[in-house]
Amino acid sequence: MTEIPEHLLERSKARRAALGLLKDGETASSTTPVKAGDEDAAPAAAAAPAARAAAAPAPVVVKAPEPVPPYVAAALARKKIPMWVAPVLLFLPIWMILYVGTLERPPATLTGLLADGSSEYAGNCASCHGAGGGGGVGRELNNGEVLLTFPNPAEHVWWVVNGSATAVGVGSPYGNPDRPGGQRIAAGGMASWAAPLTAQQLLAVVYYERIRLGGSTVEAEAGLLALSESPDLPEHFTEGMTVAEIQALIAAAETAAGVTAAPGAS
């Protein structure tokens, strides 16, 4: 084996010391001669540990997370609304509007002369004119039809008092001559109600037909109401009475009650 000179070993150890590569327990010799050309190695060897210390990253301090407030934790843990619920919620207001539109409004409670007229109409007139005034054997009364035929309440009362045969005769025109579509023609099926009904009951029926079925207003039919409450109202109307006679009774009742029917009522 070839023996390595001691000075070479010392130089190698010095270099490794300068680079910080000495093994555990190994020390650099302080007597290692420094030859010419190695003068720059000593400062570099001394600066190497300082450079490594400067280049070493600073230790990262991990900050502990802040505790989550209970209300935030509860909100995060709460079940979320499914995505399919969103279109349902958007459609809900539209569905509510459509649903309400299908509901029927409860009928208004009738009182006074309207209530009396409703009862008399159901018992004596509905079989011919229909429960809602839609017609049948008799003429249609609803949708304003009765008002087109009898714009004057006195004429309406006159027709019910006398019936078609007594009023005008079978085949004769009656009612408003300017009625759209032409004047009505008596078919002979309308009987006189002067005897079966009292004057009070007959007025109630006409009042109901004009307001509830025909669509008139209480103000327009104020004369009928005033006559029904008049102390001068006879027990029965007389078959054969004229429109002028009935109109005179209504006018006197209006004067006594201090009311006037709305324009167009008579």
Side-chain angles (χ1 to χ4, degrees):
M1 292 180 65
T2 303
E3 184 176 356
I4 299 174
E6 185 67 24
H7 69 277
L8 294 179
L9 294 175
E10 290 296 331
R11 179 178 295 180
S12 175
K13 187 181 294 186
R15 284 292 182 90
R16 285 188 285 115
L19 298 176
L21 300 178
L22 290 179
K23 298 180 180 180
D24 294 340
E26 187 178 13
T27 59
S29 174
S30 59
T31 59
T32 301
V34 179
K35 294 185 177 180
D38 291 341
E39 291 84 356
D40 295 334
R52 286 197 302 273
V60 178
V61 179
V62 180
K63 187 178 181 181
E66 297 182 358
V68 179
Y71 59 88
V72 175
L76 295 176
R78 187 180 300 118
K79 292 183 178 181
K80 305 300 186 294
I81 298 177
M83 292 298 296
W84 61 265
V85 176
V88 174
L89 295 177
L90 292 175
F91 179 73
L92 188 59
I94 301 175
W95 175 83
M96 291 178 63
I97 294 174
L98 296 176
Y99 176 74
V100 171
T102 62
L103 299 178
E104 294 184 1
R105 294 184 179 182
T109 302
L110 302 181
T111 58
L113 196 62
L114 273 179
D116 296 341
S118 174
S119 177
E120 296 298 336
Y121 179 87
N124 300 296
C125 310
S127 59
C128 290
H129 295 285
V137 177
R139 295 285 189 181
E140 181 182 3
L141 302 176
N142 62 4
N143 299 321
E145 288 295 321
V146 69
L147 302 181
L148 292 176
T149 303
F150 301 114
N152 185 343
E155 292 182 353
H156 192 170
V157 175
W158 165 80
W159 180 255
V160 178
V161 167
N162 292 287
S164 56
T166 303
V168 295
V170 178
S172 299
Y174 68 93
N176 180 17
D178 299 323
R179 189 184 194 283
Q183 198 172 13
R184 292 292 195 192
I185 303 299
M190 178 69 179
S192 169
W193 289 93
L197 299 179
T198 66
Q200 176 75 25
Q201 292 170 331
L202 193 146
L203 287 174
V205 167
V206 172
Y207 192 73
Y208 175 82
E209 289 178 351
R210 296 183 68 79
I211 293 179
R212 194 65 176 177
L213 302 181
S216 186
T217 64
V218 173
E219 292 77 14
E221 310 304 331
L224 292 179
L225 181 60
L227 181 57
S228 71
E229 297 173 347
S230 172
D232 298 327
L233 180 67
E235 182 68 19
H236 290 270
F237 290 110
T238 304
E239 187 175 348
M241 290 183 70
T242 65
V243 174
E245 290 173 332
I246 297 172
Q247 184 64 64
L249 288 174
I250 294 175
E254 287 180 338
T255 300
V259 299
T260 302
S266 58

